């Protein structure tokens, strides 16, 4: 099956810092989503981005489908950004998740 | 609020027992997916239903089964429960091949 690799696995930032999270996938996909899992376990949709670039406030994402990677940018990070960020791709019927990047933003 | 409703939020049960988890998809979404999240396995796809029919199977154990009803809600049945089945179970829904939205999950603890 398709492989989804996320890097880095762990990240600690001070409030106000910027970061880039990466997602590499091993095969063509027709859907790519980024999620934030908060400390309460909720999976919150960040972006639906099979290709191109999107921005939502301090977050933006870029997917280069032909090169099989996606990037999530977090600018001016806040403590509420802490949690796990998942990339998920859909080569067929269902989303396949990476192992996530665990982000801790300290005051 | 994603619009996907899962019940119950928490469930504690004993080994060997059977439980049923329920999911109501977003209005208009025909696809329902079930996922299991455990510490060692991450988020694993279990099964997908589309408009009442099974569409795809992932890493679902034979002790687990699911169905989608005519009103599009879905149930995941877990039987002969083992300690290792303790996990967070998510339901997600989507319209045809578009963005998926996840419910808040059911946290299952098997003791």
């Amino acid at each position: 099956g398709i492989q989804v690799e996320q890097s880095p696995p762990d990240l600690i930032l001070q409030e106000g810092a910027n970061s880039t999270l990466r997602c590499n996938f091993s095969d063509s996909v027709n859907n790519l989503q980024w999620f934030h899992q908060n400390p309460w376990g909720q999976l919150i949709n960040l972006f639906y981005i099979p290709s191109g670039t999107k921005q939502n406030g301090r977050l933006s994402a870029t997917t280069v489908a032909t090169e099989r990677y996606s990037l999530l940018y977090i600018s001016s990070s806040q403590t509420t950004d802490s949690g796990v960020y998942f990339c998920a791709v859909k080569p067929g019927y269902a989303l396949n998740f990476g192992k996530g990047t665990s982000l801790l933003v300290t005051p | 609020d994603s619009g996907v409703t899962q019940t119950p939020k928490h469930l504690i049960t004993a080994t060997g027992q059977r439980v049923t988890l329920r999911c109501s998809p977003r209005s208009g979404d025909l696809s329902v997916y079930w996922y299991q999240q455990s510490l060692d396995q991450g988020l694993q796809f279990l099964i997908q239903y589309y408009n009442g029919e099974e569409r795809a199977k992932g890493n679902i154990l034979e002790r687990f089964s699911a169905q989608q009803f005519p009103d599009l809600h879905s149930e995941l049945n877990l039987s002969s429960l083992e300690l290792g089945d303790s996990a967070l179970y998510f339901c997600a829904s989507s319209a045809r091949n578009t963005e998926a939205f996840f419910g808040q999950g059911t946290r299952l603890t098997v003791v």
Side-chain angles (χ1 to χ4, degrees):
Chain A
I2 193 168
Q3 304 298 311
V4 184
E5 294 182 2
Q6 292 188 242
S7 59
D10 301 281
L11 190 56
I12 300 176
L13 299 175
Q14 260 200 318
E15 215 168 11
N18 303 328
S19 61
T20 301
L21 282 55
R22 187 175 180 103
C23 172
N24 292 332
F25 44 97
S26 61
D27 207 346
S28 301
V29 299
N30 51 39
N31 181 345
L32 187 147
Q33 292 185 238
W34 283 96
F35 296 90
H36 175 216
Q37 187 167 38
N38 64 22
W40 296 270
Q42 277 183 285
L43 278 169
I44 298 163
N45 287 40
L46 297 177
F47 293 101
Y48 169 70
I49 187 164
S51 63
T53 297
K54 290 187 177 180
Q55 179 148 12
N56 185 3
R58 296 180 296 102
L59 272 58
S60 64
T62 294
T63 296
V64 184
T66 52
E67 297 187 23
R68 299 181 184 166
Y69 74 89
S70 183
L71 302 173
L72 178 68
Y73 306 95
I74 305 174
S75 64
S76 305
S77 57
Q78 301 175 356
T79 55
T80 52
D81 294 332
S82 296
V84 183
Y85 289 80
F86 288 102
C87 167
V89 301
K90 195 178 191 183
Y93 293 114
L95 287 171
N96 292 256
F97 282 77
K99 292 188 186 303
T101 291
S102 180
L103 173 64
L104 176 64
V105 182
T106 60
Chain B
D1 182 6
S2 67
V4 180
T5 304
Q6 288 188 248
T7 56
K9 286 189 171 50
H10 302 275
L11 199 48
I12 301 175
T13 191
T15 54
Q17 295 298 304
R18 173 190 167 94
V19 297
T20 298
L21 313 183
R22 183 187 168 101
C23 170
S24 294
R26 293 191 321 152
S27 177
D29 285 355
L30 299 180
S31 279
V32 169
Y33 310 81
W34 286 97
Y35 285 81
Q36 179 194 58
Q37 186 178 30
S38 58
L39 283 175
D40 55 344
Q41 294 292 324
L43 270 154
Q44 298 281 315
F45 166 65
L46 296 178
I47 197 163
Q48 180 204 1
Y49 278 81
Y50 179 82
N51 201 20
E53 299 290 326
E54 182 185 302
R55 175 62 63 89
K57 260 186 174 177
N59 301 319
I60 189 165
L61 299 172
E62 284 192 14
R63 300 183 285 108
F64 297 178
S65 65
Q67 53 186 326
Q68 187 178 26
F69 295 88
D71 67 352
L72 300 177
H73 91 271
S74 179
E75 293 181 354
L76 179 67
N77 301 296
L78 314 176
S79 61
S80 303
L81 284 166
E82 303 174 0
L83 295 178
D85 298 326
S86 295
L88 192 51
Y89 290 84
F90 285 105
C91 167
S93 77
S94 73
R96 193 181 182 94
N97 202 31
T98 59
E99 187 173 6
F101 292 85
F102 282 72
Q104 292 190 318
T106 294
R107 190 170 296 276
L108 173 66
T109 303
V110 182
V111 298

